[in-house]
Amino acid sequence: VTIRGTDPVDAMGELDMGNIQSYSISDDAGNALLDSNGWFQPATNITDSQPGVLNDASFTIDPALQAQFQPGHTYRLVLFDSAGNSNAPTPFAIPVALGSAQINATGTQVTGTASAGATVTLTNAAGDPVGSATAAADGSYAITISPTQPAGAVLRIVATVGAVESAAQSVTVPATTPVDPVDPVDPVDPVNPI
């Protein structure tokens, strides 16, 4: 979360970024979720070296509390200093996770992990969808590629929750060894004569 220098502060005056005392976090509907000191851990670059100027400041969610925030949802953060000054509510969204994806040896299925409940979509180079799945409660997903894509094709993978999209990943369809039509278990080297 970044509180930017252009964000307004209330009529009580300048928000002292070096002296933040408490935080208030609400959801999209304005319902208070957390209102306590220390729910967010200030980054070391919080400064207020220029009086009268609200400097940029970054915050990261305390890892012990991350489970209370749902990926893809928007929340609002208000900071309060010791004089009671505050910033305008600053929206932030919890990122949607997308773990490393793997494609099987035959180039027909992509598996991996993402935020639970996220829609994971696979597209080809033209941007056409070639498969999708919903990540299970444990985050796992499996996408069957359809239609089949040619060897060497690069497929893009993203996970979305609501309007929030993860960073994209890609997998490359592998080249497959032709199958011996007489002995399908044995790869071609060479085809068995009939």
Side-chain angles (χ1 to χ4, degrees):
V1 178
T2 300
I3 307 299
R4 303 189 186 283
T6 55
D7 287 343
V9 294
D10 69 6
M12 297 177 72
E14 160 79 12
L15 177 64
D16 183 355
M17 297 304 293
N19 191 22
I20 299 301
Q21 297 295 311
S22 62
Y23 316 93
S24 174
I25 302 167
S26 59
D27 62 16
D28 270 346
N31 301 311
L33 300 177
L34 300 174
D35 189 358
S36 182
N37 187 20
W39 289 107
F40 273 59
Q41 299 297 322
T44 55
N45 63 341
I46 293 179
T47 59
D48 191 29
S49 58
Q50 298 174 288
V53 177
L54 178 58
N55 295 332
D56 286 3
S58 297
F59 294 78
T60 54
I61 295 174
D62 183 333
L65 299 166
Q66 287 182 4
Q68 298 187 39
F69 298 93
Q70 298 178 11
H73 292 259
T74 301
Y75 300 91
R76 286 173 173 70
L77 170 67
V78 177
L79 308 177
F80 300 90
D81 66 17
S82 59
N85 301 314
S86 65
N87 63 291
T90 300
F92 67 96
I94 302 299
V96 177
L98 181 62
S100 296
Q102 299 83 36
I103 188 166
N104 65 359
T106 58
T108 58
Q109 188 177 67
V110 173
T111 57
T113 59
S115 294
T119 300
V120 184
T121 305
L122 195 61
T123 54
N124 61 19
D128 300 322
V130 294
S132 68
T134 299
D138 66 356
S140 64
Y141 68 85
I143 300 173
T144 299
I145 300 170
S146 178
T148 302
Q149 299 296 297
V154 176
L155 306 178
R156 181 177 185 264
I157 308 162
V158 294
T160 56
V161 176
V164 180
E165 188 174 278
S166 71
Q169 290 191 27
S170 63
V171 292
T172 302
V173 177
T176 56
T177 306
V179 174
D180 182 333
V182 175
D183 184 2
V185 176
D186 184 28
V188 176
D189 63 342
V191 172
N192 294 338
I194 297 179

